[in-house]
Amino acid sequence: MRIVLLGPPGAGKGTQAKRLAARHGLAHIATGDLFRRNVQEETELGTIARSYMDRGDLVPDDVTVAMVVRGLELAPRGYLLDGFPRNMAQAEALESELETTGRPLTAVLALLLPEEVAVKRIAGRRTCRSCQRPYNVELEPTAVPDTCDACGGPLVQRADDAVDVVRRRLEVYRESTEPLLDFYDRRGLLRVVDAAGTEDQVFELASRALGHPVGDAEERPALR
Ligand code: AMP
């Protein structure tokens, strides 16, 4: 399976991508995560990416495409692209790269939801600085405010989840990424998933859209 996951910030792409990738044994290639790691490790790529990320803008296409192509080479058994492509130039670059390998995309899953739901989710999004566990303090407050239920570490907000940056990221999504829905629909690859529900509900819908409902035998606990 070679899958692209599309959707606005706050649609739950990262969460669903992790679950889908684990279920289907796919590599999870998340451009946002790769950039954040480079920023944290203060690499040359991280220095370039940071200035764009802090504003909510897209990192330049040449840098991004090169990073993704390297990732694809390490994923011969299939992959789930999360956060890429983000604009038409990236979609076309991906298409021509895959043409040369003779392994085109299998499906494009679009996780879509009303903007106000996405904004609310992002506002509550936090991660434990110590154990990296993700939380949504708006939807499910922790026992002690700003503190990880699992390890007691401090919860932190992603710098680009600040309100004004989120506004820009949504604008970038509408202008640059949304047109990809048509692009992939014309190629017969698009499968739209309602992403406004709970994590489990969205996972069920996304699994169905890929033709593997969660009720499948492989997902049930083994009989003992
Ligand atoms: P994400 O974690 O997917 O929301 O991405 C966080 C930030 O990383 C974005 O706002 C962009 O600045 C950058 N980024 C992630 N994916 C891409 C991409 N495909 N093209 C350009 N920039 C990206």
Side-chain angles (χ1 to χ4, degrees):
M1 289 169 116
R2 292 172 296 277
I3 300 165
V4 160
L5 210 56
L6 286 180
K13 294 189 298 296
T15 307
Q16 297 299 332
K18 278 192 194 81
R19 288 181 68 168
L20 290 167
R23 184 176 184 210
H24 295 285
L26 305 172
H28 175 203
I29 303 173
T31 44
D33 289 350
L34 291 172
F35 284 135
R36 275 185 288 280
R37 196 171 313 146
N38 276 277
V39 169
Q40 209 171 4
E41 292 171 1
E42 299 180 351
T43 66
E44 202 178 322
L45 174 59
T47 311
I48 299 171
R50 183 174 195 155
S51 56
Y52 296 92
M53 295 172 83
D54 282 351
R55 292 196 303 265
D57 284 331
L58 295 182
V59 178
D61 293 335
D62 53 346
V63 176
T64 307
V65 170
M67 180 177 78
V68 170
V69 168
R70 280 196 302 275
L72 294 180
E73 284 162 4
L74 301 174
R77 298 192 53 235
Y79 52 80
L80 209 152
L81 278 173
D82 162 10
F84 182 93
R86 282 279 232 279
N87 61 24
M88 206 56 94
Q90 293 181 5
E92 282 165 356
L94 176 65
E95 195 167 63
S96 63
E97 172 65 25
L98 297 183
E99 259 164 30
T100 65
T101 64
R103 295 195 179 127
L105 290 176
T106 325
V108 174
L109 277 191
L111 302 187
L112 302 183
L113 76 176
E115 194 166 302
E116 63 273 17
V117 180
V119 168
K120 194 159 183 196
R121 276 195 195 160
I122 294 171
R125 191 150 72 178
R126 301 286 185 282
T127 312
C128 172
R129 201 203 301 272
S130 306
C131 72
Q132 310 304 320
R133 184 172 157 168
Y135 286 92
N136 195 306
V137 296
E138 286 278 332
L139 307 176
E140 282 178 68
T142 49
V144 180
D146 302 324
T147 306
C148 178
D149 285 338
C151 78
L155 300 190
V156 290
Q157 187 177 38
R158 251 170 70 171
D160 64 350
D161 277 352
V163 176
D164 52 336
V165 186
V166 168
R167 208 172 297 130
R168 175 67 191 144
R169 288 166 63 207
L170 285 165
E171 210 173 84
V172 168
Y173 172 78
R174 281 193 298 268
E175 281 169 12
S176 304
T177 313
E178 215 167 46
L180 300 184
L181 298 177
D182 264 351
F183 177 88
Y184 286 120
D185 196 21
R186 281 198 300 276
R187 282 153 176 74
L189 289 169
L190 187 71
R191 316 210 184 145
V192 174
V193 171
D194 176 358
T198 63
E199 184 185 321
D200 285 344
Q201 284 166 345
V202 179
F203 182 60
E204 169 73 43
L205 293 174
S207 299
R208 272 180 203 279
L210 292 177
H212 298 274
V214 174
D216 276 6
E218 66 179 284
E219 195 69 8
R220 285 187 218 121
L223 292 174
R224 285 168 199 278

